[in-house]
Amino acid sequence: MISDAWETALAQFDQVSKRIPLSEDIHQVLRNFDRMLTVSIPIRMDNGFLRVFTGFRVQHNAARGPYKGGIRYHPELTLNNLKALAMEMTWKCSLVGVPFGGAKGGIICNPKTLSKGELERLTRRYTYAIMPIIGTEKDIPAPDVNTNEQVMAWIMDTYSINNGYYTPGIVTGKPVNIGGSLGRTHATGLGIAYTIAHAVKYKKMNLKNLKVIIQGYGNVGSAVGKFLNEMGCRVVAVSSSKGGIYNPRGLSHTALIKYYKENGSFDRFPNAEGMTNESLLELPCDVLVPAAMSNQITEENADKIRARLIVEGANGPTTVEADQRLAKRKIPVIPDILANAGGVVVSYFEWVQDAQRYFWSEREVNEKLKNILDCTYEEVHSLSQEKKLSMRTAAMTIAVKRVAAAISVRGLYP
Ligand code: GLU
């Protein structure tokens, strides 16, 4: 059984390379990583004691452009997680045609137990530690699980001070007043909502009253909920890391956000049935959006899923075995590298705007985002129809082929 995120990513890549088929040379290059950096981050805690944290930055491949990918803060973060996520960024950027390679980084920590001051010192010292390998033309970090605009602002400030001048393009997902892009905060969620709207058309389902379950109502999931609410869908179940709630008549986004702010969980949300994150996945619905962590849909629960369509909000939420079972049961999966690419697409827009010091309206950002995602969806969908492939295999085929072509034309140095 494959349960490790890295094994899943590698198995998916191996399968696709065999099908393309990729030359053994390129296959070898892409199975490996350009660079993996581990750093120790000593900081002074509020209680006066020193604590040393461990951080990473993993760079997979930069054949098509500078490395790009988020920074996550998580107590169970491992190098293997980051390898999977960095490789996935290479495919994601390639699939949507943004000129970046793939990277991912993070710190092993539980940000919920840290004060704002500790979090700031941790972020700044981490930025300093990875400075030799990041840069506006080298590697551009962004938000990911448990990091946000504020963390990006600290990264930008630390880098700029050390670099000697204002360097907004070092990071994306910054606040708008220091060079962030309008529309970046909700871009991943909006992109997922656009993808759902697109997929639903093909499945002859209607957006009006579409029953949706969102596992993980955080940065990404809550934005999906907001846009789906506006589109007339009915979000029937949501969850946080502490558990979920279900109301078949629908949950209001505004009420959910207000309740979570006041209570720190959805526990005892009025008129809703409480449940675990696992049982939430098994409720009947039209669209299931796993938007929490990786490896949530596995061979253990794949046969119990009662959704008509799965749209991956999180990175790597479905294991290889689960994918096979879902395919047998004819439950289509819109893969992460397509569904959640909105974040990195608007990160690209942000990087372009920073380079030009010329900023776009939110409408322009959203229109351009929709255009890229719609075209990519069509491309993936037609390949999947033509060659009778799953949407994941079709998306991976397009993405991997593009990276391989870039490696091949650039050749081998020396
Ligand atoms: N962390 C996001 C992702 O996994 C965004 C990365 C970025 O914008 O660079 O796609």
Side-chain angles (χ1 to χ4, degrees):
M1 189 189 93
I2 294 174
S3 59
D4 179 69
W6 166 235
E7 286 175 41
T8 302
L10 197 58
Q12 281 168 354
F13 169 61
D14 283 346
Q15 265 174 20
V16 169
S17 352
K18 236 188 243 148
R19 275 226 41 256
I20 292 180
L22 219 55
S23 78
E24 190 42 38
D25 290 0
I26 291 183
H27 182 230
Q28 270 191 59
V29 170
L30 286 172
R31 273 184 128 240
N32 287 285
F33 285 74
D34 288 356
R35 192 183 281 119
M36 289 189 259
L37 178 67
T38 304
V39 294
S40 60
I41 316 157
I43 66 156
R44 186 70 60 199
M45 303 299 283
D46 290 349
N47 63 10
F49 288 105
L50 181 137
R51 201 170 140 196
V52 183
F53 291 83
T54 302
F56 310 96
R57 185 70 181 169
V58 174
Q59 299 175 333
H60 176 238
N61 184 275
R64 299 183 56 265
Y67 304 101
K68 185 88 191 78
I71 305 270
R72 65 170 60 182
Y73 291 173
H74 200 273
E76 277 130 46
L77 189 71
T78 63
L79 193 57
N80 266 2
N81 283 152
L82 291 174
K83 282 169 71 181
L85 294 161
M87 181 184 257
E88 193 177 317
M89 285 309 298
T90 307
W91 313 142
K92 199 186 293 187
C93 293
S94 168
L95 178 67
V96 291
V98 298
F100 291 131
K104 206 77 163 200
I107 303 176
I108 306 173
C109 69
N110 183 356
K112 284 171 194 141
T113 62
L114 299 172
S115 71
K116 193 168 176 196
E118 289 167 341
L119 207 57
E120 176 172 355
R121 293 194 289 282
L122 187 66
T123 302
R124 288 186 182 278
R125 184 63 191 246
Y126 168 71
T127 306
Y128 173 77
I130 63 166
M131 261 196 74
I133 64 160
I134 61 170
T136 52
E137 304 297 329
K138 287 206 262 182
D139 181 355
I140 306 116
D144 201 83
V145 176
N146 289 330
T147 58
N148 55 20
E149 281 195 359
Q150 177 60 76
V151 173
M152 299 307 118
W154 291 326
I155 295 179
M156 179 271 194
D157 183 67
T158 307
Y159 188 91
S160 293
I161 286 175
N162 281 281
N163 200 31
Y165 56 90
Y166 169 75
T167 317
I170 183 57
V171 88
T172 57
K174 307 175 283 298
V176 170
N177 61 359
I178 55 166
S181 174
L182 290 168
R184 175 61 185 89
T185 324
H186 60 237
T188 312
L190 181 59
I192 295 167
Y194 285 153
T195 305
I196 293 174
H198 205 134
V200 157
K201 265 195 255 156
Y202 282 111
K203 307 285 166 230
K204 304 214 163 40
M205 293 190 248
N206 212 322
L207 271 183
K208 186 111 200 77
N209 287 327
L210 188 81
K211 274 194 266 147
V212 185
I213 293 176
I214 305 176
Q215 186 203 36
Y217 215 64
N219 282 348
V220 172
S222 66
V224 180
K226 174 176 179 277
F227 294 113
L228 291 183
N229 253 251
E230 286 169 14
M231 290 174 179
C233 304
R234 213 186 313 158
V235 176
V236 293
V238 303
S239 67
S240 74
S241 54
K242 296 193 185 115
I245 45 164
Y246 175 53
N247 179 346
R249 280 174 301 159
L251 301 158
S252 134
H253 169 75
T254 335
L256 286 170
I257 292 295
K258 184 166 178 282
Y259 191 88
Y260 190 83
K261 261 202 189 123
E262 285 162 7
N263 301 282
S265 80
F266 294 117
D267 200 20
R268 288 174 222 266
F269 185 86
N271 304 320
E273 184 190 331
M275 64 182 56
T276 62
N277 260 298
E278 293 79 52
S279 39
L280 181 110
L281 295 173
E282 296 164 14
L283 294 167
C285 65
D286 295 313
V287 181
L288 172 63
V289 185
M293 300 299 284
S294 53
N295 285 342
Q296 297 299 302
I297 307 178
T298 63
E299 63 184 333
E300 267 92 66
N301 61 7
D303 288 334
K304 298 187 204 139
I305 302 280
R306 285 186 283 166
R308 294 166 69 192
L309 170 72
I310 297 176
V311 178
E312 295 186 331
N315 291 318
T318 316
T319 65
V320 175
E321 291 89 352
D323 240 355
Q324 286 158 357
R325 285 180 192 230
L326 292 167
K328 249 189 222 136
R329 296 183 54 218
K330 303 220 167 352
I331 301 178
V333 179
I334 311 298
D336 44 9
I337 58 170
L338 172 60
N340 74 25
V344 78
V345 169
V346 178
S347 275
Y348 166 57
F349 296 162
E350 181 171 330
W351 183 74
V352 168
Q353 294 171 76
D354 286 337
Q356 302 185 329
R357 301 290 197 267
Y358 180 73
F359 293 89
W360 313 346
S361 69
E362 184 160 350
R363 195 165 142 210
E364 203 175 341
V365 169
N366 290 348
E367 275 173 11
K368 287 193 161 84
L369 168 66
K370 185 167 188 311
N371 186 30
I372 291 187
L373 293 181
D374 282 353
C375 292
T376 309
Y377 193 101
E378 284 302 309
E379 208 181 342
V380 174
H381 185 256
S382 40
L383 182 69
S384 90
Q385 296 290 91
E386 188 195 321
K387 303 264 188 241
K388 306 254 169 314
L389 304 172
S390 70
M391 287 290 276
R392 184 179 327 275
T393 308
M396 286 279 290
T397 303
I398 296 170
V400 172
K401 269 189 174 174
R402 264 184 210 146
V403 179
I407 295 176
S408 155
V409 76
R410 284 179 63 161
L412 187 64
Y413 173 85

